[in-house]
Amino acid sequence: MSKRSKRLIVVAALGVVPLSGLTPSAAVAETPWDKRALGKFVLKVTDLGDHRTRTVLLNCVPDGGTHPAPRRACHQLRQAHGRIARIPAEPGPCTHIYRPVRVEAFGTWAGGSRAYSRQFANHCVAVRRTGGVVFRF
């Protein structure tokens, strides 16, 4: 077996496409879903009226993903040991307009599975009751 064939087998085993031009470390840095993270979540907000869903990824340690405020969201999750239900509510007003949403989080924290799903009267209420950051997208 040639040296090039061996290298292609190793690269394929690592899941890195050799034509991408990225080194394995660069490929890890570019991905929004870091397998080495302390916590990682798929976060969803679904408008129950028109059934539109917004989804983001959140990695914690290192903080990142497609969430608009990963550092703040991860800080809250670290304080709550990865349990969204334990994040204190953010005080403040919301409208009384009824436009129900379902928020969901699926993922892991420190090696354990985590899931959260709850329905709220509107997006503002959902954001405030879950600490003001995690579902603000």
Side-chain angles (χ1 to χ4, degrees):
M1 184 178 289
S2 74
K3 190 174 184 179
R4 178 172 161 70
S5 296
K6 288 179 185 176
R7 188 172 44 226
L8 287 174
I9 290 170
V10 170
V11 170
L14 291 173
V16 178
V17 178
L19 298 177
S20 69
L22 297 175
T23 64
S25 61
V28 169
E30 293 292 323
T31 182
W33 189 267
D34 192 334
K35 293 178 182 176
R36 303 167 299 161
L38 167 66
K40 51 188 173 187
F41 289 91
V42 174
L43 303 169
K44 296 180 180 184
V45 176
T46 302
D47 183 316
L48 297 177
D50 62 13
H51 301 287
R52 287 188 303 179
T53 299
R54 295 182 306 268
T55 304
V56 298
L57 302 177
L58 178 64
N59 289 323
C60 296
V61 185
D63 300 349
T66 59
H67 192 283
R71 285 189 181 114
R72 291 177 55 215
C74 289
H75 174 74
Q76 287 186 331
L77 285 164
R78 280 190 287 276
Q79 297 296 313
H81 303 285
R83 299 196 184 277
I84 293 171
R86 292 184 182 171
I87 298 173
E90 177 187 58
C94 285
T95 65
H96 291 283
I97 296 172
Y98 185 71
R99 185 172 179 152
V101 297
R102 173 162 300 284
V103 296
E104 299 172 280
F106 303 99
T108 61
W109 189 266
S113 296
R114 296 286 192 267
Y116 177 85
S117 181
R118 185 150 177 221
Q119 183 174 321
F120 294 95
N122 60 48
H123 188 243
C124 177
V125 173
V127 168
R128 293 224 184 259
R129 296 253 176 95
T130 57
V133 181
V134 174
F135 290 105
R136 186 175 296 222
F137 56 88

